[in-house]
Amino acid sequence: MTDRDNKDTIGLSRRTVLAGLGAVGVASAGAGLGTTAYFNDTESFEGNTLTAGQLDLLVDWQQTYDFGEGRQFVSAHPDHDRDGEQSVEIDGTEFSYSDFPDDTDEDSNGANLPILDCENIPPLSEADFGTDPVTGEEMETLVQLTDVKPGDSGEITFSLHLCDNPGYIWMQADMVDGDGGTATEPELAVDPDNLGDLGDAIEATLWYDEDCDNVYDGAEPVDIMLTLDFSGSMLYEEFGGVVSGDEITVGGSTYDETTKIDLVELGTRRFVDYLGSQGSDVQVGVAYFDGEGSGDTEPRTGILQSLTADLNDVDDALDGLRKKIANVVSGTNNDPDVDDSDADPFSNASGIATGTYIGEGVDDAQAELDANGRGGVEFRNIVLSDGESFNGTGSTQFSDPVDAADDARAASPNPATNVYTISVGSADDAVLSSMAGPAGGSGGDPAFFNDVDDPLVIPSVFGNLAAQTGREKVIVDGSLADVLDELESGDGIPLDGNRSTPYDELTDPADDENRDPFAGDGVMHCVALEWELPIGVGNGVQGDTLGFDLGFYTEQARHNDGSGPEQPA
């Protein structure tokens, strides 16, 4: 069964935005890249929204160009002051891309704005496509480069925000038009037929820019703690732990229903498997936290797996989380390794715990990083919770989660740690959002916070965090002609909503079981295209022109299998 009416294609070219017509960008004199990112329903140009119940795919971007004197801003959306640098004003406060990454400038973020979301991305009618960086004339297409010399390069990062419903996304190219252009004497000496060779001469890479910073990132060494909520609401139906009556298989176990902790196990084990498959230089450990039972004076928290480079050990620790969480919340000894509890999510779970000690779990994880973390590597703590924090009653007081996260991010007395938080369903969004932020920085950073309304999205969130940990995934690496051939063929390149799954965008079918839809939760996902005209290219491309459109197509995941739009006969 398919539902082809629930799909979304939106145009980004200046002509499309202003006149509702398609456009082909033409680049000349050496290394052109004219692009138009589009989606299809022209009704979406009215405020860039679709009717209720359909998909809403919003796009922002930052484009740069290097003439050999360092990268310069070319165009962006949004760009409220029209200077080529991505910026927006929200409730009287200005936010900007803040130049390129600069360790000496605390105001430099060097990334597409994480503050942008489904509520505040301006409509495309406000897009400014800037001026040609060489001629100074107004640009008619999103990217329009002229008089490019060997050694020049450029890059554009698109930020995709799929809102309202989960959907599959494809990246496409259309109206590809290469031409030999004006024939010059030096060119005719090596290219007497004046062919359009520009696309073959330009080197290009298309990749998932996980941190949206317009720069391809390789893998760096990192030590990671997974800090997981082991409270009863993650398992027992009585407290909302059962997500659905659908069967789920995790590892070697199949259950008749799906609980939150099943989804956490699925996501974390995929996270670990992905890091292993990438050969990542990592240590991973697992901490847990619950509340306190009747008569307890200490919160039930601890280390399920100490930091280790042996990812098989971590996978073993994450195996069978149903039983391990039950051992904590309803077992006699409240020990995850002591098998003394009933892990049936429909069993009587009354009185198993009071509160959720998020702060104590963060402290335990941080102590593990401090004791067993490696020197000179990045530290990360990924905290997941589905409940409100509880700090104890009466004379017994425990660590406040925001204070614990502030201490974790600080450089002293503990090693500075990037704190990522995942708020599931009824969790305390305000607290978990305040905890999230970079090492040495403040909390409340949306780039480190994941708001998960639907627990079924949990595995995808861990997949995206895994992709940010390993080297960024390259989709196509070759000539610009190679990239365009893939984007123009069929439905284009099917993008994967969960990069930790073993999916090959070029060789695997679009409906492959390892290709996930994008969650539809508005989380920013970035795709970047970088190109360069090599120094030794010679005279064969002088005067050549190249024009093409780029775009993104989406259709809802429900009732569709990811195989894509029907192709014309």
Side-chain angles (χ1 to χ4, degrees), residues 5-6 41 43-44 48-56 164-165:
D5 293 330
N6 290 287
D41 191 348
E43 293 179 359
S44 66
N48 194 23
T49 59
L50 301 179
T51 59
Q54 293 188 336
L55 298 180
D56 193 4
D164 298 330
N165 285 296

Side-chain angles (χ1 to χ4, degrees), residues 402 405-406 409 421 429-437 442-445 449:
V402 175
D406 287 346
R409 295 192 313 275
T421 58
D429 289 347
V431 168
L432 288 163
S433 175
S434 298
M435 294 168 60
S442 60
D445 191 324
F449 174 61

Side-chain angles (χ1 to χ4, degrees), residues 50-72:
L50 301 179
T51 59
Q54 293 188 336
L55 298 180
D56 193 4
L57 179 56
L58 306 181
V59 172
D60 60 86
W61 75 83
Q62 176 68 70
Q63 180 191 170
T64 60
Y65 183 42
D66 188 347
F67 290 90
E69 300 176 354
R71 294 199 298 167
Q72 301 179 31

Side-chain angles (χ1 to χ4, degrees), residues 171-428:
M171 187 172 186
Q172 304 170 330
D174 193 17
M175 303 295 290
V176 177
D177 182 20
D179 188 85
T182 302
T184 64
E185 182 179 350
E187 181 187 16
L188 291 175
V190 294
D191 183 14
D193 296 325
N194 193 28
L195 301 175
D197 303 320
L198 188 55
D200 294 316
I202 296 174
E203 297 175 351
T205 302
L206 180 70
W207 80 97
Y208 294 104
D209 189 11
E210 299 294 349
D211 54 3
C212 301
D213 67 350
N214 299 36
V215 177
Y216 174 76
D217 298 318
E220 297 292 337
V222 58
D223 286 353
I224 307 165
M225 288 299 297
L226 303 173
T227 305
L228 307 178
D229 191 333
F230 264 30
S231 60
S233 58
M234 295 292 292
L235 172 63
Y236 294 104
E237 192 271 342
E238 182 177 342
F239 297 106
V242 177
V243 174
S244 77
D246 294 336
E247 184 180 273
I248 187 172
T249 299
V250 185
S253 301
T254 299
Y255 304 108
D256 292 333
E257 65 288 316
T258 300
T259 70
K260 294 175 188 174
I261 199 63
D262 297 331
L263 295 163
V264 170
E265 179 176 340
L266 185 64
T268 53
R269 295 183 72 178
R270 283 183 179 176
F271 177 94
V272 171
D273 288 347
Y274 176 78
L275 297 181
S277 69
Q278 294 292 301
S280 302
D281 183 3
V282 295
Q283 287 194 138
V284 180
V286 184
Y288 67 91
F289 58 89
D290 180 30
E292 61 180 5
S294 177
D296 290 344
T297 59
E298 295 293 332
R300 297 194 290 242
T301 68
I303 300 298
L304 188 65
Q305 171 63 56
S306 58
L307 275 171
T308 178
D310 189 337
L311 299 185
N312 289 325
D313 285 351
V314 182
D315 186 69
D316 288 343
L318 293 167
D319 181 30
L321 287 189
R322 271 199 187 196
K323 189 61 178 174
K324 291 173 181 177
I325 190 175
N327 290 340
V328 170
V329 302
S330 62
T332 303
N333 298 303
N334 306 128
D335 185 333
D337 295 322
V338 176
D339 190 359
D340 63 348
S341 65
D342 184 358
D344 179 2
F346 300 101
S347 62
N348 184 0
S350 299
I352 58 174
T354 302
T356 306
Y357 291 101
I358 302 174
E360 292 292 318
V362 172
D363 285 345
D364 285 353
Q366 194 64 23
E368 177 64 20
L369 287 168
D370 192 18
N372 296 314
R374 297 171 294 173
V377 307
E378 179 186 349
F379 286 171
R380 295 185 184 181
N381 188 1
I382 300 173
V383 184
L384 178 144
S385 179
D386 79 329
E388 294 184 5
S389 176
F390 181 74
N391 295 326
T393 58
S395 61
T396 305
Q397 296 293 318
F398 303 111
S399 178
D400 177 87
V402 175
D403 290 344
D406 287 346
D407 289 343
R409 295 192 313 275
S412 176
N414 299 312
T417 303
N418 295 291
V419 178
Y420 294 82
T421 58
I422 305 171
S423 176
V424 180
S426 62
D428 193 333

